[in-house]
Amino acid sequence: MYIRIEDHILYEDKDMIVCHKPAGTAVQSARIGSMDMESALKNYLAQKEPNKMPYLGIVHRLDQPVEGILVFAKNQKAAGELSRQMASGEMVKTYLAVTEKRPQNKEGRLEDWLKKDGKTNMSSVVKEKSQGAKKAVLYYELLDTVKTEEGEQYLMRIRLETGRHHQIRVQMSHGGMPLLGDKKYNAEEKSRTALALCSAELTLKHPSTKKKMEFKTVPSGNGFMRFF
């Protein structure tokens, strides 16, 4: 998959690059023959300054099927500061998602214990004292509802308190609100719709100036087409 990376850059200065990662593109180490965000950005930086070895620090990631906002550092100092914000929870990521199951409440909090299975690359909800289990917390809010030929779809805003493997997909499915297009955690999903999950807002402090910065993007996946 070819990426014209310039079309996906939302902001850039000497310290960082903020991008909208397309759904289906890996952040790093994609299979041979397919482009990933790290490679595309390094090529872009190398073309801008041919005589300089580009530095690109990966601060956080999105799963390959998930689209949305990512920030990359352009030097080690910025990488350290942005990574610190990520680890401390100062960097806030807000997601948009679509489900075809009506939420029980307009807004709510989900708390579960998740365990990752490395063999299947899936996570599941387990009992609190299970070996290897990690606490997972998210908050959701119903934003909009539309009627479809099959029933209804619901646009949700989701904010993570923790960052676990496949957390939103697992917790929403376990809570009776599996995401549209999620064939991994929704056994009833038979459509060809892409996973309707987008990291749509990112708030952080600039690594040098410490100024608060907010970035927003509009989902482009076909799972969101009835809302945007």
Side-chain angles (χ1 to χ4, degrees), residues 106-121:
K106 187 174 181 180
E107 55 185 55
R109 177 181 186 271
L110 299 181
E111 178 178 323
D112 298 291
W113 289 80
L114 305 186
K115 184 174 181 178
K116 179 182 176 181
D117 184 338
K119 293 181 180 178
T120 62
N121 192 36

Side-chain angles (χ1 to χ4, degrees), residues 194-213:
L195 176 65
L197 180 59
C198 174
S199 178
E201 299 178 22
L202 180 68
T203 302
L204 53 81
K205 290 181 180 177
H206 190 278
S208 294
T209 67
K210 303 300 186 278
K211 177 185 175 182
K212 182 180 178 181
M213 304 184 77

Side-chain angles (χ1 to χ4, degrees), residues 96-105 141-148 151-158 172 176-180 196 223-224 226-227:
L96 293 176
V98 177
T99 178
E100 293 182 311
K101 302 292 185 182
R102 179 181 290 277
Q104 288 188 344
N105 304 298
E141 177 188 3
L142 174 62
L143 298 180
D144 197 7
T145 304
V146 296
K147 293 189 180 299
T148 70
E152 291 184 326
Q153 290 184 354
Y154 307 92
L155 180 66
M156 314 290 289
R157 177 188 285 130
I158 298 169
M172 292 295 283
M177 300 170 282
L179 302 191
L180 179 66
F224 291 96
R226 288 187 170 91
F227 296 97

Side-chain angles (χ1 to χ4, degrees), residues 1-8 22 25 33-36 40 47:
M1 178 180 172
Y2 172 74
I3 308 171
R4 180 178 156 79
I5 197 64
E6 294 91 331
D7 296 339
H8 299 279
T25 302
S34 61
M35 183 59 73
D36 57 79
Q47 289 170 3

Side-chain angles (χ1 to χ4, degrees), residues 46-95:
Q47 289 170 3
K48 285 180 66 175
E49 298 184 76
N51 299 319
K52 182 181 177 183
M53 179 68 73
Y55 177 93
L56 191 75
I58 297 176
V59 177
H60 60 123
R61 300 167 188 272
L62 290 174
D63 293 335
Q64 190 160 336
V66 182
E67 65 170 306
I69 303 175
L70 286 170
V71 59
F72 296 86
K74 290 175 66 176
N75 55 66
Q76 289 186 333
K77 185 177 180 181
E81 170 57 21
L82 291 169
S83 296
R84 183 197 66 77
Q85 291 182 40
M86 188 71 207
S88 67
E90 292 176 50
M91 188 182 294
V92 180
K93 293 188 291 182
T94 304
Y95 292 78

